Amino acid sequence: MPKVAIYPGTFDPITFGHIDVINKSLKLFDKVVVAVSDSENKDYLFDPLERIEIVRKALFSDLKLNKKKITVISLSSLTTDLCKKYNSNIIL
C-alpha cells in the first residue's frame, strides 16, 4: 500500500518553509496531498482558487517537482475526512 501524507494549510501565500516540508516529505512518502483550506472564517490575502494556482505554479512550473507524487486540492472538510478519502494516517 502506498504511503500517502496529507499537508493541510492555508498557504496564503506558500512560503519557502512550506516548500521545504514538501520537498523533504517526497523522500519519505509515495504521494503528498497539499490541501489548501478554503474556510470562510478567516481573512485571506488571496482567494482559494488563487492560492491553489500559486501553489501549483510554485511546485510544478517553478520548481519542476513530480506531478505524479503531489496532488494540490481544495480543503473544505475536516482533515480527518481527507485522510480517510486518501487512506492516509500521516498529517504533515
Side-chain angles (χ1 to χ4, degrees):
M1 177 164 40
K3 292 190 296 185
V4 179
I6 308 293
Y7 189 19
T10 58
F11 303 100
D12 188 36
I14 191 165
T15 65
F16 288 122
H18 294 127
I19 291 168
D20 189 48
V21 169
I22 293 166
N23 267 324
K24 288 179 180 177
S25 66
L26 290 173
K27 297 173 186 170
L28 300 171
F29 307 109
D30 301 316
K31 186 166 187 89
V32 176
V33 178
V34 179
V36 180
S37 173
D38 66 358
S39 170
E40 296 178 7
N41 298 335
K42 294 184 180 180
D43 291 327
Y44 295 110
L45 186 60
F46 300 101
D47 70 51
L49 292 177
E50 286 177 311
R51 286 184 278 134
I52 290 171
E53 286 307 310
I54 291 168
V55 169
R56 285 185 177 144
K57 183 180 182 308
L59 298 178
F60 305 132
S61 297
D62 297 342
L63 297 172
K64 309 283 190 238
L65 296 180
N66 189 344
K67 289 182 182 181
K68 293 179 183 176
K69 290 189 73 168
I70 303 170
T71 303
V72 181
I73 63 166
S74 175
L75 174 63
S76 58
S77 64
L78 295 174
T79 303
T80 54
D81 294 339
L82 195 61
C83 289
K84 289 176 188 174
K85 179 180 178 179
Y86 285 93
N87 198 24
S88 173
N89 60 359
I90 303 158
I91 299 174
L92 303 175

